[in-house]
């Protein structure tokens, strides 16, 4: 899967989790700048990402990660789904 | 609106309930919400209440106590307090559908093997509480138990729970758990509101048994007590059992009815009887027409139909023309039939929350009412065939295909005009001979390649040609491929100065499907089953049947 489609897939999953339009977020979106990304939204993002791409995050990572870019990097590194 | 109450945070299930309006009571606020008549739960908007309780959390005070009989009693007491609260609510809100789950305690606990080897144990408490939940629920017609135990049995406790999310935000379940829970809730509500499907329409070949009856015969199809034939037998067992819960069965199959009846009457391994099916459409009509007729005869809407067919093209044609019919994807491997049937079909489309005497006798009732209606509905099949993007390759005297061509000549019974059997040696002779030509046709469409699916032997004498053999795999019949094949042969013959074409149909027990092919193609019938026409005129008459344009000629 090429990079553009990976990103689109990823954005789709996150937007579904936050229940917002895919156009309203990008990889540059940061937690502090986005009001829907509250503490419950934060958990929903990781629930959805783990479910969709089979990647597992540690509790520490979940607590520390604050941008979509960082989540995306981890997904790319660890997921077979995104590589194929 | 669906209201969710829980002793955990189950708000993420909203990700899966996009279509419905939802209300989430605060974490652990369920008792207060149920009691407080000013809460949202008491508004008229609420149609369904889902009370989903985590067993471990519900019993957290006793998790690290020895499960003595006193502990057991205190657990029951807590549950009965909850029942008092629920009772008050449902007696006030009789129109609300109330779902409550049964408990699943964590599989591991500190008393280890004592848990199963003594009578006062956590597993005993679990059994006891779930029995009470069931008995309580049965007192109210608007209350149902959501069988969380069944789901955990299916997927495993560890695959549905994640403590990480619990510590982060009081969420005990993971994404998988929320998605299956959503399915289960939707199935229960559908069933409760009478939205389950009513009719199961089935194909036969490669669906109720392995293989094609018209080709392989009663002794060739796969249906047995061991090997893969057992998978089909198990599948039939489930279907047969569905009759007992009021599901109506019907057949929609392209086949000769005599072949099919023979299987039902004589095959020792058949579970289903021909009479189990309330309407039987076993013919060579297109399946859309058959399906419409089944609906008319049963006087039921197509939106209560589920259609099971192994052939993706047949499924597509139904989906495109009758979008109300549910057409699930068929498993690739027959090994999966049983599991697929239960999980993806029965629970999803035929869920039951109550069983009446009428359900048990439904087939008999309907049988009496089946109307016999003749229909000839005009369908836009041409559009469908075009949308398949069929690509054909015509092979002329192809030396590398001798083996496949001989095999087809030996095996094809149904769409076979003369049923002459030729060996590889015969085929090679035809190819070398000056007064014969051999053609083969290769097929591909949107769904994939089918390979060589037809062949023809043409004998020539001066400016006359005679169709010695013309056969095609039944997999592709009904998509005009047979007409295009004939047309392309004529084109080649024309270039070789052939003016006149002769053909003959030799009837057998199995080739009824091909009986009118030459007549439908436009040939003039001279005598019974003997035809002729000029090549030019036949090509003219075939023109309106040429829906497939992408044809390569090779050789």
């Amino acid at each position: 899967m090429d990079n553009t489609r990976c990103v689109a897939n990823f954005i789709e999953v996150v937007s579904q989790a936050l229940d917002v339009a895919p156009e309203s977020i990008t990889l540059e979106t940061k937690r502090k700048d986005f009001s829907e990304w509250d503490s419950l939204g934060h958990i929903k993002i990781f629930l959805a990402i783990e479910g969709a791409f089979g990647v597992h995050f540690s509790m520490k990572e979940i607590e520390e990660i604050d941008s979509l870019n960082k989540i995306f990097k981890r997904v790319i590194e660890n997921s077979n789904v995104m590589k194929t | 609106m669906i209201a969710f109450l829980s002793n955990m945070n189950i708000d993420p299930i909203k990700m899966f309930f996009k279509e419905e309006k939802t209300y989430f009571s605060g974490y652990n606020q369920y008792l207060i919400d149920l009691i407080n008549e000013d809460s949202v739960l008491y508004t008229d908007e609420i149609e369904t209440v889902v009370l989903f309780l985590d067993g471990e959390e519900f019993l957290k005070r006793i998790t690290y106590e020895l499960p003595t009989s006193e502990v057991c009693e205190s657990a029951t007491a807590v549950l009965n307090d909850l029942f008092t609260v629920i009772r008050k609510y449902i007696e006030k809100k009789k129109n609300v559908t109330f779902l409550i789950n049964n408990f699943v305690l964590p599989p591991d606990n500190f008393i280890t093997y004592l848990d199963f080897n003594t009578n006062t144990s956590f597993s005993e408490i679990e059994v006891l509480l779930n029995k009470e939940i069931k008995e309580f629920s049965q007192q109210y017609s608007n209350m149902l138990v959501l069988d969380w135990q069944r789901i955990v049995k299916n997927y495993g406790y560890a695959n549905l729970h994640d403590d990480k999310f619990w510590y982060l935000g009081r969420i005990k379940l993971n994404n998988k758990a929320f998605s299956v829970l959503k399915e289960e809730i939707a199935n229960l509500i559908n069933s409760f509101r009478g939205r389950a499907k009513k009719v199961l329409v089935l194909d036969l070949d490669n669906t109720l048994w392995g293989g094609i009856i018209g080709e392989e015969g009663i002794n060739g199809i796969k249906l047995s007590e061991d090997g893969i034939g057992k998978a089909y037998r198990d599948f039939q067992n489930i279907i047969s059992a569905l009759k007992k819960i009021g599901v109506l069965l019907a057949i929609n199959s392209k086949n000769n009815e005599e072949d099919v009846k023979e299987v039902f009457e004589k095959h020792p391994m058949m579970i289903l009887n021909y009479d189990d099916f309330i309407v039987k459409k076993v013919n060579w009509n297109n399946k859309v027409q058959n399906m419409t007729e089944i609906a008319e005869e049963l006087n039921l809407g197509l939106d209560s139909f589920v259609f099971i067919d192994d052939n993706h093209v047949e499924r597509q044609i139904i989906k495109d023309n009758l979008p109300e019919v549910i057409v699930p994807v068929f498993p690739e491997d027959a090994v999966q039939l049983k599991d697929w049937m239960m999980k993806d079909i029965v629970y999803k489309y035929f869920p039951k929350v109550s069983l009446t005497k009428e359900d048990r006798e439904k087939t008999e009732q309907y049988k009496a009412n089946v109307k016999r209606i003749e229909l000839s509905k005009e369908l836009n099949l041409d559009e469908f065939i075009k949308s398949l993007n069929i690509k054909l390759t015509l092979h002329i005297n192809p030396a590398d295909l001798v083996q496949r061509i001989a095999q087809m000549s030996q095996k094809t019974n149904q769409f076979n005009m003369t049923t002459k059997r030729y060996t590889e040696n015969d085929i090679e002779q035809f190819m070398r001979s000056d007064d014969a030509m051999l053609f083969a046709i290769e097929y591909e469409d949107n769904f994939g390649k089918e390979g060589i699916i037809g062949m023809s032997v043409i004998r020539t004498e001066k400016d006359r040609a005679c169709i010695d053999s013309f056969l095609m795999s039944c997999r592709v019949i009904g998509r005009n491929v047979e007409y295009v094949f004939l047309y392309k042969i004529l084109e080649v013959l024309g270039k070789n100065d052939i003016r006149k074409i002769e053909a003959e149909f030799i009837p057998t027990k199995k080739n009824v499907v091909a009986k009118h092919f030459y007549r439908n193609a436009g040939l003039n019938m001279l005598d019974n089953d003997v035809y002729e026409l000029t090549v030019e005129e036949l090509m003219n008459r075939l023109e309106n049947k040429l829906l497939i344009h992408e044809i390569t000629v090779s050789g």
Side-chain angles (χ1 to χ4, degrees):
Chain A
M1 200 188 285
D2 61 53
N3 200 49
T4 336
R5 275 191 54 206
C6 282
V7 176
N9 259 1
F10 176 81
I11 293 290
E12 176 66 25
V13 172
V14 175
S15 68
Q16 289 273 330
L18 293 179
D19 203 11
V20 297
E23 305 78 50
S24 63
I25 47 175
T26 69
L27 285 187
E28 304 314 315
T29 303
K30 292 198 164 50
R31 184 173 178 178
K32 63 176 167 47
D33 310 326
F34 201 66
S35 64
E36 279 84 356
W37 191 345
D38 55 11
S39 57
L40 182 60
H42 191 63
I43 298 174
K44 281 194 201 168
I45 292 174
F46 287 93
L47 264 170
I49 293 285
E50 289 196 355
F53 305 114
V55 192
H56 283 273
F57 293 84
S58 71
M59 187 160 161
K60 194 158 173 285
E61 277 180 299
I62 296 179
E63 284 173 325
E64 286 170 3
I65 288 178
D66 57 1
S67 74
L68 289 188
N69 224 329
K70 285 179 190 161
I71 306 177
F72 184 68
K73 273 193 189 132
R74 271 279 274 114
V75 170
I76 290 288
E77 280 164 25
N78 296 74
S79 163
N80 297 326
V81 181
M82 298 290 274
K83 276 178 196 160
T84 50
Chain B
M1 194 193 278
I2 308 177
F4 289 91
L5 312 177
S6 181
N7 57 355
M8 309 175 275
N9 183 351
I10 61 164
D11 191 282
I13 202 170
K14 208 192 303 189
M15 295 194 281
F16 299 95
F17 276 104
K18 288 255 148 85
E19 310 293 314
E20 294 84 354
K21 281 181 81 183
T22 49
Y23 163 76
F24 288 86
S25 156
Y27 163 67
N28 242 341
Q29 295 292 305
Y30 60 97
L31 287 175
I32 294 162
D33 263 8
L34 283 169
I35 296 166
N36 179 7
E37 294 190 17
D38 293 327
S39 80
V40 177
L41 295 191
Y42 283 86
T43 61
D44 290 337
E45 268 193 288
I46 302 291
E47 295 164 332
T48 308
V49 171
V50 179
L51 175 57
F52 190 82
L53 296 171
D54 175 64
E56 183 185 22
E57 195 51 20
F58 191 77
L59 299 176
K60 63 183 167 190
R61 279 181 307 172
I62 63 161
T63 312
Y64 298 102
E65 300 291 330
L66 275 173
T68 57
S69 49
E70 291 77 34
V71 165
C72 191
E73 271 164 34
S74 80
T76 342
V78 181
L79 187 64
N80 276 298
D81 289 346
L82 172 64
F83 289 161
T84 312
V85 174
I86 297 173
R87 188 175 292 122
K88 176 193 174 229
Y89 179 77
I90 21 185
E91 282 176 357
K92 270 238 153 80
K93 303 287 290 177
K94 290 205 167 70
N95 295 327
V96 167
T97 310
F98 198 104
L99 306 187
I100 183 172
N101 66 303
N102 49 20
F103 292 155
V104 178
L105 297 180
D108 302 328
N109 55 60
F110 76 95
I111 62 168
T112 63
Y113 302 109
L114 278 174
D115 201 42
F116 210 78
N117 290 294
T118 53
N119 284 332
T120 52
S121 63
F122 291 109
S123 45
E124 270 308 304
I125 292 176
E126 188 184 82
V127 170
L128 198 75
L129 295 188
N130 287 337
K131 190 162 167 272
E132 297 226 356
I133 289 172
K134 190 193 212 167
E135 284 169 4
F136 177 72
S137 159
Q138 283 173 354
Q139 297 170 32
Y140 301 95
S141 60
N142 57 333
M143 196 166 180
L144 288 172
V145 177
L146 189 165
D147 193 0
W148 179 238
Q149 278 197 322
R150 194 192 116 251
I151 296 175
V152 177
K153 247 191 215 171
N154 252 325
Y155 299 98
Y157 193 90
N159 296 319
L160 300 173
H161 294 79
D162 193 334
D163 281 337
K164 174 174 77 192
F165 296 118
W166 174 242
Y167 298 136
L168 278 165
R170 297 285 171 214
I171 294 163
K172 274 210 171 183
L173 306 175
N174 64 13
N175 201 67
K176 176 76 187 167
F178 283 119
S179 97
V180 293
L181 197 52
K182 190 260 156 170
E183 282 289 305
E184 191 77 357
I185 293 168
N187 292 345
L188 277 168
I189 296 176
N190 279 342
S191 176
F192 190 76
R193 303 261 158 87
R195 291 191 293 235
K197 304 295 171 189
K198 298 187 177 78
V199 189
L200 179 62
V201 184
L202 294 142
D203 171 49
L204 297 174
D205 290 329
N206 280 318
T207 300
L208 287 194
W209 51 74
I212 298 165
I213 181 63
E215 295 296 338
E216 284 145 78
I218 190 162
N219 297 318
I221 57 168
K222 295 187 192 73
L223 188 65
S224 49
E225 253 314 298
D226 45 14
I228 197 65
K230 172 81 170 139
Y232 292 99
R233 217 165 124 80
D234 287 345
F235 184 51
Q236 287 201 17
N237 261 319
I238 300 174
I239 295 166
S240 166
L242 288 180
K243 263 185 67 181
K244 298 176 191 165
I245 57 164
V247 175
L248 300 171
L249 306 177
I251 299 176
N252 187 351
S253 164
K254 284 186 181 168
N255 254 314
N256 297 329
E257 195 168 18
E258 309 86 79
D259 294 350
V260 166
K261 274 187 175 160
E262 192 190 0
V263 179
F264 276 99
E265 280 158 19
K266 294 187 183 149
H267 199 294
M269 290 289 142
M270 280 296 285
I271 302 279
L272 288 158
N273 296 309
Y274 207 45
D275 279 345
D276 288 336
F277 297 89
I278 180 162
V279 181
K280 295 155 273 233
K281 295 287 167 188
V282 181
N283 51 43
W284 295 93
N285 299 342
N286 78 68
K287 293 199 178 184
V288 177
Q289 184 184 337
N290 281 344
M291 196 69 89
T292 320
E293 287 178 13
I294 296 171
E296 295 266 340
E297 288 175 27
L298 291 174
N299 200 18
L300 284 168
L302 284 164
D303 58 357
S304 58
F305 279 50
V306 175
F307 177 51
I308 294 184
D309 194 316
D310 67 296
N311 185 313
H312 53 75
V313 175
E314 299 292 2
R315 293 200 302 266
Q316 196 62 42
I317 207 167
I318 296 287
K319 275 203 265 185
D320 288 354
N321 289 284
L322 307 171
E324 314 94 301
V325 178
I326 298 285
V327 187
V329 175
F330 194 79
E332 300 227 333
D333 185 350
V335 169
Q336 299 160 336
L337 266 178
K338 187 167 79 170
D339 193 47
W340 168 80
M341 184 64 183
M342 292 310 301
K343 282 203 176 70
D344 290 5
I345 308 297
V346 182
Y347 273 96
K348 203 168 177 157
Y349 301 116
F350 300 104
K352 273 270 155 201
V353 293
S354 60
L355 190 65
T356 60
K357 187 166 161 283
E358 286 72 34
D359 285 330
R360 273 174 256 147
E361 292 165 359
K362 198 169 250 171
T363 297
E364 297 313 315
Q365 285 170 16
Y366 268 86
K367 234 174 213 166
N369 296 332
V370 170
K371 292 184 286 174
R372 288 274 147 209
I373 301 170
E374 285 306 314
L375 272 180
S376 58
K377 195 167 173 267
E378 279 304 312
L379 294 159
N380 203 342
L381 270 180
D382 293 3
E383 287 302 312
F384 174 75
I385 293 168
K386 282 181 192 159
S387 75
L388 285 172
N389 287 321
I390 298 170
K391 295 182 184 119
L392 300 174
T393 308
L394 181 78
H395 296 270
I396 306 165
N397 293 330
D400 52 333
L401 295 173
V402 171
Q403 203 182 359
R404 169 70 184 143
I405 290 169
Q407 186 195 35
M408 275 195 294
S409 153
Q410 296 290 335
K411 282 192 161 175
T412 308
N413 296 321
Q414 300 188 83
F415 199 94
N416 194 337
M417 304 309 293
T418 54
T419 322
K420 292 180 182 169
R421 309 295 194 192
Y422 293 122
T423 63
E424 287 182 33
N425 197 16
D426 297 331
I427 299 294
E428 278 169 352
Q429 297 252 335
F430 286 130
M431 287 192 191
R432 277 200 296 268
S433 159
D434 287 336
D435 42 21
M437 283 183 95
L438 208 131
F439 297 90
I441 189 105
E442 193 173 340
Y443 179 100
E444 183 182 349
D445 66 21
N446 279 345
F447 296 97
K449 290 181 179 175
E450 295 277 2
I452 302 290
I453 43 81
M455 71 82 117
S456 176
V457 177
I458 308 288
R459 293 181 192 266
T460 55
E461 194 191 340
K462 293 178 190 152
D463 67 342
R464 300 167 74 85
C466 163
I467 306 177
D468 175 276
S469 287
F470 188 98
L471 62 87
M472 198 154 271
S473 159
C474 266
R475 276 177 300 180
V476 299
I477 292 302
R479 300 175 209 169
N480 283 28
V481 177
E482 58 275 32
Y483 298 112
V484 178
F485 185 30
L486 181 60
Y487 185 87
K488 295 307 282 187
I489 292 172
L490 295 170
E491 209 173 64
V492 174
L493 295 178
K495 281 179 195 152
N496 285 285
D497 301 320
I498 304 288
R499 293 280 151 74
K500 206 156 200 184
I501 186 94
E502 296 164 7
E504 185 188 6
F505 172 74
I506 304 174
T508 67
K509 263 175 79 180
K510 290 185 169 166
N511 67 356
V512 188
V513 59
K515 184 168 175 62
H516 298 301
F517 170 62
Y518 286 140
R519 195 187 71 190
N520 294 344
L523 277 154
N524 291 341
M525 186 152 84
L526 290 183
D527 195 0
N528 210 7
D529 295 328
V530 179
Y531 301 81
E532 74 163 27
L533 198 62
T534 64
V535 170
E536 197 187 344
E537 181 53 24
L538 183 54
M539 284 175 76
N540 284 338
R541 291 183 187 179
L542 276 168
E543 214 113 86
N544 66 340
K545 294 196 163 66
L546 306 179
L547 301 170
I548 302 156
H549 299 293
E550 203 172 333
I551 305 150
T552 320
V553 178
S554 128

